[in-house]
Each structure stands twice: as C-alpha cells, then as structure tokens.
Amino acid sequence: MKYRALFISDIHIGTRRSQVDKANDFIRDKEFDYIYLVGDIIDGIALERKEFWNDKANDFLQEILRKAKDGTKIIYITGNHDKFLEGFWGNDLGGIKVIEEDFHTTKDDKTYVVIHGHQFHTKFLHLILLLKNWVRDKAKQLTKFRTGIENGAICYAAGKGVDGIICGHTHEAKIRKENNITYINTGDWVSSLTCVIENEDGKLELIGLNNK
C-alpha cells in the first residue's frame, strides 16, 4: 500500500511497554515518500537505566534505514525522551535527517509545522502529570495538561502562519480544528497504536493498528 507521508511518534523504544514490534509490522509492507518520526521514538531516559532492548527494536530501526536507502525521506524530530539526539540536529545519519522541527506541505497545498510537542507544556502541568497518582482528580488534571499543550501548539502554528501543526507527546491521538488551525496528534505505540498518514490526494487521517 502506498501513502505520501507517515507521521509516527512515541514508540519509546528501550522501555518494556513499547510495542515497537507492532509499529514495525504496520510500516513494513507500506511505501511512503516521507516518514516523520515525531519524537520519543527511542527513549533515552530508559536507556540510561538500561531498562530494555531487544531484537524487535533493532528490526524497526533496520526497517527505517532500509526505507531511507530505498528513497523514502526520513525526518527524525527529537522529543523530550530522545534529547540525546539534539547534538545531531541538522545532520544526516544514514539517510535520516535529525532536526528539532520541520514543515510539511501536503499534496493539496496545506502546510503543517511538525514538532514533538513537549515544548508547549509548563513545568507545573508536567509536574501534575508526573505526580498524577497523588492527584485526587487525576483524570481532570490530565485533561487540563493535554488541553494546555494543544492550545500552546495551536498558538505556535498560528504564529508560524501555517495551516496546522502535527505533534506527539501527549499519547492522545486527536484531530482538532481551532481558529482555522488544524491540530493533529499522532498518538503513540505504547497503548493507542496510532499514527497519521497522508493519502496520495493530500488528505491527513489518523489510522491505527486495528484499521490498517
């Protein structure tokens, strides 16, 4: 199956909860002109703890490198868990461009800024998320956390003068339109198993393992 672009984030390779094998199964038999790895693909925090790594992680990375060799443009946008790659911004690693953010123009001439999304949360909201087990109404607080990030992302996109923004980070797959800005979140490959694809006609849509 052929798509124009894939946006996928938050695989958290290096953690035991990562479902990198399913992500690999999802992309293996598909063709893309562009693949955007939208942050937290490799979990550097987990790697520092020597938490977990196996052949499934290697298989995914090898598949990405194979697609790069075959001509797919691969853009790796760093997140808060793969900050160790920030030193490689602007470099090409085996056909993978490492960068902080990028712009993608769809076939139907819509432009989106692509960025991980951790840049849009406050330290206070992040602390609430980290301490959510001690917060009485944690579901409400988590909703506030995510909404704050969404609003920040939408404002950022408006300031860039683009049509929308594509993020990860919150692990909540979502498409929301606000003030003529389209906010798109790719979800994750820890629980939701979702990503965003651009069809050949330029349409962006959320797609998951269960509706591939």
Side-chain angles (χ1 to χ4, degrees):
M1 189 171 293
K2 178 73 165 59
Y3 297 103
R4 190 164 183 269
L6 166 71
F7 305 83
I8 186 169
S9 74
D10 297 277
I11 303 177
H12 289 278
I13 297 171
T15 67
R16 293 187 180 278
R17 57 200 178 101
S18 172
Q19 300 198 52
V20 62
D21 54 330
K22 294 181 180 178
N24 195 35
D25 289 343
F26 182 87
I27 69 170
R28 185 187 295 114
D29 61 350
K30 298 174 179 63
E31 295 180 20
F32 308 95
D33 294 331
Y34 303 87
I35 293 179
Y36 290 86
L37 303 170
V38 193
D40 288 0
I41 302 301
I42 299 172
D43 196 313
I45 296 172
L47 292 181
E48 287 181 358
R49 298 193 300 258
K50 299 181 179 179
E51 185 173 328
F52 189 70
W53 192 275
N54 61 14
D55 288 341
K56 294 175 182 178
N58 292 330
D59 290 344
F60 176 82
L61 297 176
Q62 288 169 6
E63 179 63 23
I64 291 296
L65 289 169
R66 185 187 68 78
K67 288 187 181 301
K69 185 177 180 180
D70 289 344
T72 299
K73 294 180 180 178
I74 312 289
I75 301 94
Y76 193 125
I77 293 165
T78 56
N80 52 311
H81 281 256
D82 40 24
K83 289 175 70 68
F84 68 95
L85 289 172
E86 289 181 359
F88 295 98
W89 282 349
N91 288 286
D92 185 295
L93 304 179
I96 301 173
K97 180 182 178 183
V98 182
I99 199 167
E100 181 181 14
E101 68 175 43
D102 206 357
F103 294 89
H104 177 78
T105 301
T106 60
K107 187 70 179 256
D108 59 356
D109 207 30
K110 301 289 186 183
T111 300
Y112 294 80
V113 59
V114 187
I115 191 168
H116 181 60
H118 63 289
Q119 297 89 343
F120 308 120
H121 70 230
T122 67
K123 291 182 179 179
F124 174 71
L125 286 173
H126 194 205
L127 181 62
I128 287 175
L129 181 65
L130 294 173
L131 299 178
K132 63 184 180 181
N133 290 331
W134 290 272
V135 176
R136 180 173 298 177
D137 193 356
K138 60 184 178 183
K140 183 178 179 181
Q141 297 296 338
L142 185 57
T143 298
K144 287 183 178 180
F145 172 80
R146 286 171 166 164
T147 301
I149 290 173
E150 291 174 22
N151 292 339
I154 289 167
C155 288
Y156 185 75
K160 292 285 187 179
V162 295
D163 297 289
I165 185 164
I166 300 172
C167 299
H169 187 53
T170 66
H171 293 211
E172 183 181 37
K174 189 173 188 178
I175 296 179
R176 167 189 167 193
K177 192 151 189 177
E178 186 81 23
N179 298 327
N180 295 318
I181 299 292
T182 302
Y183 166 87
I184 302 175
N185 194 290
T186 59
D188 69 278
W189 286 81
V190 172
S191 56
S192 67
L193 308 183
T194 57
C195 57
V196 171
I197 56 97
E198 179 191 349
N199 291 306
E200 293 282 44
D201 61 1
K203 180 183 178 182
L204 293 171
E205 63 177 297
L206 284 167
I207 189 169
L209 190 67
N210 295 326
N211 61 338
K212 63 180 180 177

